Amino acid sequence: MRFLIDCELQYEVVAETTLILNVEAQRDDRQRIIRESLALPLGITSEAHVVPETGNRYRRMVLPIGTHNIVYSAEVETDPSIADVVDVPAVPVAKLPFEVLPHLYPSRYCPSDRLGRFAWRQFGNIASGHEKVEAICNWIHENVDYISGSSDGSTSAHDTFTFRAGVCRDFAHLGITFARALGIPARFVSAYALDLFPQDFHAVFEAYLGGRWYLFDATRLCSMDRITKIAVGRDAADSAFVTYFGQLTGPPKTITVRQSDAGAATDWTVDAVSLSR
Amino acid sequence: MRFLIDCELQYEVVAETTLILNVEAQRDDRQRIIRESLALPLGITSEAHVVPETGNRYRRMVLPIGTHNIVYSAEVETDPSIADVVDVPAVPVAKLPFEVLPHLYPSRYCPSDRLGRFAWRQFGNIASGHEKVEAICNWIHENVDYISGSSDGSTSAHDTFTFRAGVCRDFAHLGITFARALGIPARFVSAYALDLFPQDFHAVFEAYLGGRWYLFDATRLCSMDRITKIAVGRDAADSAFVTYFGQLTGPPKTITVRQSDAGAATDWTVDAVSLSR
Amino acid sequence: MRFLIDCELQYEVVAETTLILNVEAQRDDRQRIIRESLALPLGITSEAHVVPETGNRYRRMVLPIGTHNIVYSAEVETDPSIADVVDVPAVPVAKLPFEVLPHLYPSRYCPSDRLGRFAWRQFGNIASGHEKVEAICNWIHENVDYISGSSDGSTSAHDTFTFRAGVCRDFAHLGITFARALGIPARFVSAYALDLFPQDFHAVFEAYLGGRWYLFDATRLCSMDRITKIAVGRDAADSAFVTYFGQLTGPPKTITVRQSDAGAATDWTVDAVSLSR
Amino acid sequence: MRFLIDCELQYEVVAETTLILNVEAQRDDRQRIIRESLALPLGITSEAHVVPETGNRYRRMVLPIGTHNIVYSAEVETDPSIADVVDVPAVPVAKLPFEVLPHLYPSRYCPSDRLGRFAWRQFGNIASGHEKVEAICNWIHENVDYISGSSDGSTSAHDTFTFRAGVCRDFAHLGITFARALGIPARFVSAYALDLFPQDFHAVFEAYLGGRWYLFDATRLCSMDRITKIAVGRDAADSAFVTYFGQLTGPPKTITVRQSDAGAATDWTVDAVSLSR
């Protein structure tokens, strides 16, 4: 599918601030950037960095005191790898690529060491692989309420498990946590999503299954073939769309994602969807 | 300095277990392996992996039910970079290498987002750089008791800050947490240490200062020029000397580290010590 | 039923210690003490206190350095109030006695403010009263593993809910927490229990229903008509069988509870059982 | 001193709600109610309850859907017991009245079991009694920032100790926690306070010293002889000015406290002040 993405951010900088921006779509065989532009505040230069292992694209800049607008626009075509869910098994730890192993370990927002007993009891008997992670997503969808403002930057999956409410980022963290506790590598994905309501950045997660990273969304707010990936990481600490050091407020942000090819509206996919290499 | 390292581990495997071993010393210009051997249980083969970015050396093997011994021996010569502490300033976030940035983010055991107010109040005014991280180590040494058995695998720096007791791993986690909260990248280091009593694996940490990773040990159990690095990572979740998936007990372990060159005993170093490239 | 209770405690006092003992059975119309004796260490005097509102019996003494034995023996006859569970409704908050209200509030080990969303979702639709608290007990029994040594003195119901393992005290705390979250007053009960295996002190809880405090045991280790109450409180902090200020180790303890009347073995009761006035 | 107190609360009730109000000043030899009135919404009756052990005054009412105003006005004369701080020693646990003992135990917001090591290290050597609790208050004042909105209803003293920010309720919880950890009974006090800015309900705490409950305020927002006590309890869970079961929003509240006798403005007291019997 082809997407037109517009992302406009506005920051009120109170003291000189170093900003690390991570809103540019990943560039990859399965996610081609047809065209894109990044408009920075007048007179601001930025330093770009692409992480070789992940494709995450960072942009670092120093913002002086004042009001600043940043506008990112892109047209992106994705070509997901689609598989029947029954053909996507879990990979035994003994066979996982070494590069993938760190995604089995607990991280700040995904303390998988603390929810293992529950995860095994609840999901341990489910046939291995994509079905198992789907069962995780179903459980989260049924047991956690999506409530805007119910969590904040210190909320971990442990908190969400107890409190039973959160937003997309919390749903992703909880899914990652359960997957890791079950020996399935999982990572956080920040994304643009078509048909998201209200429009905003989205957070989903990927689990490493059958030799690839497959996309999952426990919020069920978006079909997995309508995702454009921005960044992957261990959790939101690793993959924030913006990280700053200094003092600012904001952003009021406007995100819009539209479909730009002629594709008719389709049903949500029931297949396994991957945008990884 | 030159060190003779012997590390003997014994595991009682109760159900087939995939073991990821991380006890081999890093190999680097500043840490040369003169000779080494790894004796695995009879009939067990292992798969080796060196992480390009860090030099961490992993060894994966599948162990059947039974009792298994693993013996690692090495002679290692280290050639640390030594600097006067006043010549080792902090690096502004705007100048940090992009690769280093993830070590500013909170991790499972180092929730730097939660201890920021204290860190700034306590250490914010200290002249930037090596002195600041030394002040962190001094504070930890004065305010946290080293008590064997006072923590476990779920203990974070947040817990240690409150409980005021821990072991080397907890001291390192708390140091990392404060450093990150202050905008100084920091990472966990598992190590062999000369003169450690009782002898065991050791955990220290590195802070990124003046363009290098410098070693710090809030426990003051070892002079920083007597360290042989095994692995670095975001925290202990990333750098465990062994991670396993299966069921085992152990290890009874015997670690010995001896000096093998003719160097006379020297005082503990007061300089900034780095073993990074 | 009539019970013969023997409780023998041994303490190794390392520095002079003030001990507050709470092992004597409550004395009440429904729980008659037929005979009892408390043997303190030679030369030790104690000060007794009965809390008027609860009937809890405390004994305070100062123990010098040394090894001390305390032996409590009693024969107790209980005459529980038995009701059909369908006749035991919840009491609206507007009708609760004021004295009972504090048992709706969160306490150290029962943070009912944090598990409310789950409690309402899981138990909110169950017909009010005894059935609701039974549903809580059933859920705990099915979802939490009884594992000796899996918790400690800092474990709250919040931890148990996440970790899904605990001992009798944790099961009681979780039951109390859910009940309070649902607007049902609940309190901790330390007890002697017939047929408990292995024999030890037991912890159950009471919920205020239909104008009385009814007994519940989410561990299902004991039929509720085989309980002799020692103390009630907001949680274990309030109702410890011993609290001390000083330094001691122990106790090795031997608790035995035998039936002393001719009653044949009966099935576990399915009725609502109360030992409250 | 003599105080004119006005307290006006407004609630928007969304579904029928049982409200338990606790805004009436305690009545006691040391705190005489000269006159008072409580205006409830038209047609609403209330049930009053005074807790014999504490003097807390509760008022229970059922509010239908709609907007409701509650107005409490009182003139109160307090006659505090004043002592020189050096004459107010701690009471050994062996000599404490049994009724006071529960105030040594951890409670929901005051987990004194978790901060003991810090408390002993920081305050253990301070001459016992009033000076020790003053040292606690000084430490809190110096190390915790008073920031409106920095905490919420789930914030415990453990959180405040780590986060180093809070409001009056958090300051009181932390003071109570440290005192209990040191073997000094302590309890929460909700109060009206003269000269508080901005005007609101206030929260302070009492420690049991020299045979009485003495008032302390780690916020230093009010001199201890300008306090009118509303309620005491183990922590804020026990002593909320309003607890409700149902659904409401609010209150917008207006609290004013004025001095009504001719007393000239005096310096803040440096003496030990008690309003307990």
Side-chain angles (χ1 to χ4, degrees):
Chain A
M1 283 171 103
R2 211 179 258 215
F3 306 102
L4 278 174
I5 293 160
D6 287 286
C7 164
E8 188 169 347
L9 308 172
Q10 186 175 85
Y11 291 99
E12 202 70 47
V13 172
V14 180
E16 193 185 78
T17 293
T18 298
L19 196 86
I20 299 164
L21 198 69
N22 183 202
V23 301
E24 294 162 272
Q26 290 196 346
R27 180 183 284 121
D28 193 80
D29 284 357
R30 303 211 161 273
Q31 186 171 292
R32 291 188 312 110
I33 311 288
I34 296 167
R35 52 190 176 78
E36 66 176 354
S37 67
L38 179 69
L40 297 183
L42 203 68
I44 300 298
T45 56
S46 75
E47 188 187 358
H49 177 70
V50 181
V51 180
E53 301 86 35
T54 60
N56 290 358
R57 299 167 67 193
Y58 296 99
R59 202 53 88 146
R60 179 166 54 187
M61 65 199 77
V62 179
L63 295 178
I65 293 170
T67 303
H68 302 285
N69 287 284
I70 296 171
V71 181
Y72 174 68
S73 298
E75 185 165 12
V76 177
E77 180 160 39
T78 62
D79 176 26
S81 165
I82 305 285
D84 192 303
V85 296
V86 300
D87 298 332
V88 182
V91 181
V93 173
K95 303 285 184 197
L96 286 172
F98 275 97
E99 297 75 27
V100 164
L101 287 174
H103 293 95
L104 281 175
Y105 305 148
S107 61
R108 167 65 181 91
Y109 297 112
C110 304
S112 46
D113 54 313
R114 305 192 66 171
L115 293 173
R117 183 178 296 276
F118 172 80
W120 277 95
R121 187 189 266 278
Q122 188 73 31
F123 309 112
N125 291 323
I126 295 166
S128 201
H130 202 282
E131 290 101 324
K132 196 172 218 159
V133 184
E134 279 184 326
I136 288 173
C137 290
N138 291 342
W139 186 93
I140 295 173
H141 190 263
E142 283 156 26
N143 287 281
V144 182
D145 295 322
Y146 193 102
I147 300 179
S148 294
S150 62
S151 63
D152 62 29
S154 77
T155 304
S156 73
H158 183 257
D159 300 318
T160 305
F161 178 69
T162 307
F163 185 54
R164 302 291 165 109
V167 299
C168 59
R169 149 195 166 112
D170 306 301
F171 280 59
H173 284 155
L174 191 50
I176 293 166
T177 303
F178 287 148
R180 289 182 189 164
L182 295 165
I184 298 172
R187 65 186 186 184
F188 191 86
V189 180
S190 65
Y192 295 109
L194 185 68
D195 300 337
L196 195 65
F197 182 81
Q199 294 223 332
D200 201 340
F201 290 108
H202 197 33
V204 298
F205 71 102
E206 288 179 330
Y208 190 84
L209 297 165
R212 285 182 173 282
W213 289 102
Y214 283 92
L215 286 162
F216 292 90
D217 182 1
T219 68
R220 291 191 196 159
L221 289 175
C222 177
S223 179
M224 285 305 85
D225 52 1
R226 292 165 204 187
I227 285 288
T228 301
K229 284 167 70 176
I230 301 172
V232 297
R234 300 199 183 180
D235 58 26
D238 237 19
S239 324
F241 68 89
V242 68
T243 308
Y244 67 90
F245 300 84
Q247 214 177 334
L248 57 73
T249 60
K253 54 185 190 293
T254 315
I255 317 281
T256 61
V257 181
R258 283 164 296 153
Q259 188 172 355
S260 61
D261 53 0
T266 53
D267 287 343
W268 280 24
T269 181
V270 296
D271 288 321
V273 176
S274 171
L275 281 172
S276 83
R277 304 165 200 203
Chain B
M1 281 171 104
R2 208 178 260 213
F3 306 103
L4 278 174
I5 293 161
D6 287 285
C7 164
E8 188 167 346
L9 308 172
Q10 187 174 84
Y11 291 100
E12 202 70 46
V13 172
V14 180
E16 193 185 80
T17 292
T18 298
L19 196 86
I20 298 163
L21 197 69
N22 184 202
V23 301
E24 293 162 272
Q26 289 195 347
R27 180 184 283 121
D28 194 80
D29 284 356
R30 303 210 160 274
Q31 186 171 294
R32 291 188 311 111
I33 311 288
I34 296 168
R35 51 190 177 77
E36 67 176 355
S37 67
L38 178 70
L40 297 182
L42 203 68
I44 300 299
T45 57
S46 74
E47 188 186 357
H49 177 69
V50 182
V51 179
E53 302 85 37
T54 59
N56 290 358
R57 300 168 65 192
Y58 296 98
R59 199 60 82 149
R60 178 165 55 186
M61 65 199 78
V62 178
L63 295 179
I65 293 170
T67 303
H68 301 285
N69 287 284
I70 296 172
V71 181
Y72 174 67
S73 300
E75 185 166 13
V76 178
E77 181 160 40
T78 62
D79 176 27
S81 165
I82 306 287
D84 192 304
V85 297
V86 299
D87 298 333
V88 182
V91 180
V93 173
K95 303 284 184 197
L96 286 172
F98 275 97
E99 296 76 27
V100 164
L101 287 173
H103 294 95
L104 281 175
Y105 305 148
S107 61
R108 167 66 180 89
Y109 297 112
C110 304
S112 45
D113 54 313
R114 306 192 66 173
L115 293 174
R117 182 177 295 276
F118 172 79
W120 277 96
R121 187 188 266 278
Q122 188 73 31
F123 308 112
N125 290 325
I126 295 166
S128 201
H130 202 282
E131 290 100 325
K132 196 171 218 160
V133 185
E134 279 184 326
I136 288 172
C137 291
N138 290 343
W139 186 93
I140 295 173
H141 190 263
E142 283 156 26
N143 287 280
V144 181
D145 295 320
Y146 192 103
I147 300 180
S148 295
S150 62
S151 63
D152 62 30
S154 78
T155 305
S156 74
H158 183 258
D159 300 317
T160 304
F161 178 69
T162 308
F163 185 53
R164 302 291 166 109
V167 298
C168 58
R169 148 195 168 113
D170 306 300
F171 280 61
H173 284 154
L174 191 50
I176 292 165
T177 303
F178 288 148
R180 289 182 189 164
L182 296 165
I184 299 173
R187 65 185 185 185
F188 191 85
V189 179
S190 65
Y192 294 108
L194 185 67
D195 300 336
L196 195 66
F197 181 81
Q199 295 224 329
D200 201 341
F201 289 108
H202 196 33
V204 298
F205 72 103
E206 288 180 330
Y208 191 84
L209 297 165
R212 283 181 176 284
W213 289 102
Y214 283 92
L215 286 162
F216 292 90
D217 181 2
T219 68
R220 293 192 196 158
L221 290 175
C222 177
S223 179
M224 285 302 86
D225 52 2
R226 293 166 203 184
I227 285 288
T228 301
K229 284 168 69 175
I230 302 172
V232 297
R234 301 198 183 180
D235 57 25
D238 238 19
S239 323
F241 68 89
V242 67
T243 308
Y244 67 90
F245 300 84
Q247 213 177 335
L248 57 73
T249 60
K253 54 185 189 294
T254 315
I255 316 281
T256 60
V257 182
R258 282 164 295 153
Q259 189 172 355
S260 61
D261 53 359
T266 53
D267 287 344
W268 281 26
T269 181
V270 296
D271 288 323
V273 176
S274 171
L275 281 173
S276 81
R277 304 164 200 207
Chain C
M1 281 172 104
R2 211 179 257 215
F3 306 103
L4 276 174
I5 293 161
D6 286 285
C7 165
E8 188 168 348
L9 309 172
Q10 187 175 85
Y11 291 99
E12 202 70 46
V13 172
V14 179
E16 192 186 81
T17 293
T18 298
L19 195 86
I20 298 164
L21 197 69
N22 183 203
V23 300
E24 294 162 272
Q26 289 195 347
R27 181 183 283 120
D28 194 79
D29 284 356
R30 302 209 162 276
Q31 186 171 294
R32 291 189 310 111
I33 311 288
I34 296 167
R35 54 193 173 77
E36 68 177 354
S37 66
L38 179 70
L40 298 183
L42 203 67
I44 301 298
T45 56
S46 75
E47 187 186 359
H49 177 70
V50 181
V51 180
E53 301 85 36
T54 61
N56 290 359
R57 299 167 66 193
Y58 296 99
R59 196 62 80 150
R60 178 164 55 186
M61 65 199 78
V62 179
L63 295 179
I65 294 171
T67 304
H68 301 285
N69 287 284
I70 296 172
V71 181
Y72 174 68
S73 300
E75 185 166 12
V76 177
E77 181 160 39
T78 62
D79 176 27
S81 164
I82 306 287
D84 193 305
V85 297
V86 300
D87 297 333
V88 181
V91 181
V93 173
K95 302 285 184 198
L96 285 172
F98 275 96
E99 296 76 25
V100 164
L101 288 173
H103 293 95
L104 282 174
Y105 305 148
S107 61
R108 167 65 181 90
Y109 297 111
C110 304
S112 45
D113 54 313
R114 306 193 67 171
L115 293 173
R117 184 177 295 275
F118 172 80
W120 277 95
R121 188 188 265 278
Q122 189 72 31
F123 308 112
N125 290 324
I126 295 167
S128 199
H130 202 282
E131 289 100 325
K132 197 171 219 160
V133 184
E134 278 183 326
I136 289 172
C137 291
N138 290 342
W139 186 93
I140 295 173
H141 190 262
E142 283 156 27
N143 288 280
V144 181
D145 295 321
Y146 192 103
I147 300 179
S148 294
S150 61
S151 63
D152 62 28
S154 78
T155 306
S156 74
H158 184 256
D159 301 316
T160 304
F161 178 69
T162 307
F163 185 54
R164 300 290 166 112
V167 297
C168 59
R169 148 195 167 113
D170 305 302
F171 279 60
H173 284 154
L174 192 49
I176 292 166
T177 302
F178 287 148
R180 289 182 190 164
L182 296 165
I184 298 173
R187 66 185 185 185
F188 190 86
V189 179
S190 65
Y192 294 108
L194 185 67
D195 300 336
L196 195 66
F197 182 81
Q199 294 224 329
D200 200 340
F201 289 108
H202 197 32
V204 298
F205 72 101
E206 288 179 330
Y208 190 84
L209 298 165
R212 282 180 177 285
W213 290 101
Y214 283 92
L215 286 161
F216 292 90
D217 182 2
T219 68
R220 291 193 197 156
L221 289 174
C222 176
S223 179
M224 285 303 88
D225 52 1
R226 292 165 205 187
I227 285 289
T228 301
K229 286 168 69 176
I230 302 172
V232 297
R234 299 197 184 182
D235 58 26
D238 237 18
S239 325
F241 68 88
V242 67
T243 308
Y244 68 90
F245 301 84
Q247 214 177 334
L248 56 72
T249 61
K253 54 184 188 293
T254 314
I255 316 281
T256 61
V257 180
R258 284 165 293 155
Q259 187 172 355
S260 60
D261 54 0
T266 54
D267 286 342
W268 280 25
T269 180
V270 295
D271 288 320
V273 176
S274 170
L275 280 173
S276 81
R277 303 164 201 206
Chain D
M1 281 172 103
R2 211 180 257 214
F3 307 102
L4 277 175
I5 293 160
D6 285 285
C7 164
E8 188 167 347
L9 309 172
Q10 187 175 84
Y11 291 99
E12 202 71 45
V13 172
V14 179
E16 191 185 80
T17 293
T18 298
L19 196 86
I20 298 163
L21 198 70
N22 182 201
V23 301
E24 294 162 271
Q26 289 196 347
R27 180 183 284 120
D28 194 80
D29 284 356
R30 303 211 159 273
Q31 185 170 293
R32 288 189 313 110
I33 312 288
I34 296 166
R35 54 193 173 75
E36 68 176 354
S37 67
L38 179 69
L40 297 183
L42 204 67
I44 300 298
T45 56
S46 75
E47 187 186 358
H49 177 69
V50 181
V51 179
E53 302 85 36
T54 60
N56 291 358
R57 298 168 65 192
Y58 296 99
R59 201 53 88 148
R60 177 164 57 185
M61 64 199 78
V62 179
L63 295 179
I65 294 170
T67 303
H68 301 284
N69 287 285
I70 296 171
V71 182
Y72 174 67
S73 300
E75 184 166 13
V76 177
E77 180 160 40
T78 62
D79 176 27
S81 164
I82 307 286
D84 192 303
V85 295
V86 300
D87 298 332
V88 182
V91 181
V93 173
K95 303 285 184 197
L96 286 172
F98 275 96
E99 296 77 25
V100 164
L101 288 173
H103 294 94
L104 282 175
Y105 305 149
S107 61
R108 168 66 181 88
Y109 297 111
C110 304
S112 45
D113 54 314
R114 304 192 69 172
L115 293 173
R117 183 177 296 274
F118 172 79
W120 277 95
R121 189 188 263 278
Q122 189 72 32
F123 308 113
N125 290 324
I126 295 167
S128 198
H130 202 281
E131 289 101 326
K132 196 170 218 159
V133 185
E134 278 184 326
I136 289 172
C137 290
N138 290 342
W139 186 92
I140 295 173
H141 191 262
E142 283 155 26
N143 287 281
V144 181
D145 295 322
Y146 193 103
I147 300 179
S148 294
S150 61
S151 63
D152 62 29
S154 79
T155 305
S156 73
H158 184 255
D159 300 318
T160 304
F161 178 68
T162 308
F163 186 54
R164 301 289 166 111
V167 297
C168 59
R169 149 196 167 112
D170 306 301
F171 279 60
H173 284 155
L174 191 50
I176 292 166
T177 303
F178 288 148
R180 288 183 190 164
L182 296 165
I184 298 173
R187 65 186 186 184
F188 190 85
V189 179
S190 66
Y192 295 108
L194 185 67
D195 299 336
L196 195 66
F197 182 81
Q199 294 224 329
D200 200 340
F201 288 108
H202 196 33
V204 297
F205 72 102
E206 288 179 331
Y208 190 84
L209 298 165
R212 283 182 176 283
W213 290 101
Y214 282 91
L215 287 162
F216 292 90
D217 182 1
T219 68
R220 291 192 197 157
L221 289 175
C222 177
S223 179
M224 285 304 86
D225 52 0
R226 292 163 204 188
I227 285 289
T228 301
K229 286 167 69 176
I230 302 172
V232 297
R234 299 198 183 182
D235 57 25
D238 236 20
S239 324
F241 68 88
V242 67
T243 307
Y244 68 91
F245 301 84
Q247 215 177 333
L248 56 74
T249 60
K253 53 186 190 293
T254 315
I255 316 281
T256 61
V257 180
R258 284 165 294 154
Q259 188 173 354
S260 61
D261 53 0
T266 54
D267 288 342
W268 279 25
T269 180
V270 296
D271 288 322
V273 176
S274 171
L275 280 172
S276 81
R277 303 165 199 202

